[in-house]
Amino acid sequence: MSLTPIGEPRRKVTTATLRDLKLQHEPISCLTAYDYATSRLVDEAGIEMILVGDSLAQTMLGYENTLSVTMDEMLHHVKAVRRGVKNALLIADMPYGSYQVDPKDALLNATRFVKEGGAEVVKIEGGEKRADLIRHIIDAEIPVAAHIGLTPQSVNVMGGYKVQGKNLGAIEQLMRDATALDRAGVACLYLEGIPREVAAMITAEVSTPTIGIGAGPECDGQVLVFHDILNLTFGPPAKFVRRYGDLAAVITNAVQAFRADVRSHQYPSDQESYHLPKETKAGLDTVLDRKRAMRR
Ligand code: KIV
């Protein structure tokens, strides 16, 4: 399968599509989305993969990091996105604590994303140490995406959000992680915050598609956070973020214009108001005239 040119009717993207695209060297695009309206726009724009990332902890819920977002909060957003997405592959991020504690819980939580949320793939952070768990979930017919490199759920272990894989030992570990996850049968492999050269080596080594974020152009696909590309994050962007629009400015201008119109009685106009039917208005005028006459 090759990519549908922009503007043409699209076919449903599946996990098999991702592998075909890798084989054909067709770059894959992925964006995060967290609600009905934006996921619908992202889907209709032709993006192949939509990730309901646990980054929603920060972008949508205002938490400091991704650690506190719960299964129920994630599920609420996955359900909304499901209603907006037709063709893109829908991936749900398993939040911190939903898969690290007990494999049984992990499988139950993954199942909830599929049964209640309509997700087609679940995403798990971590390398070779997660390979058995990932096999366990795949055995239950749930495709799994893995995420290695800078894994935000390990922020306290990493000592901050730092680029990973910068020395030979760390590179070897990343290669072991990638090959173990590939052998486990992951549907794709997210590579975050690693040197371009390392991401290129991993991409050449594994058969699963790699989807990079801050991992250079040799990955099979690229993912960015919706709020990052549209300037909705209230802070300086990371080096790898490219801004494609300024929704902060669009929203601020629109809201300020609305307020100014209300304050100056410019909104609503007569055309923006409902009116009584002619006969009712005539009757009402008569009643009001009589009342006025009685008051005189
Ligand atoms: O939560 C998220 O948005 C992610 C992507 C950045 C890969 O994990």
Side-chain angles (χ1 to χ4, degrees), residues 28 56 81 84 103 196 223 251:
I28 303 164
L56 72 79
V81 170
R196 170 180 182 169
V223 57
I251 292 172

Side-chain angles (χ1 to χ4, degrees), residues 9-36:
R10 294 179 60 212
R11 268 191 269 166
K12 175 78 191 98
V13 176
T14 66
T15 53
T17 317
L18 299 186
R19 290 205 174 228
D20 289 347
L21 292 175
K22 173 164 180 139
L23 288 174
Q24 292 164 16
H25 304 288
E26 292 260 27
I28 303 164
S29 57
C30 176
L31 271 179
T32 66
Y34 315 107
D35 61 29
Y36 170 76

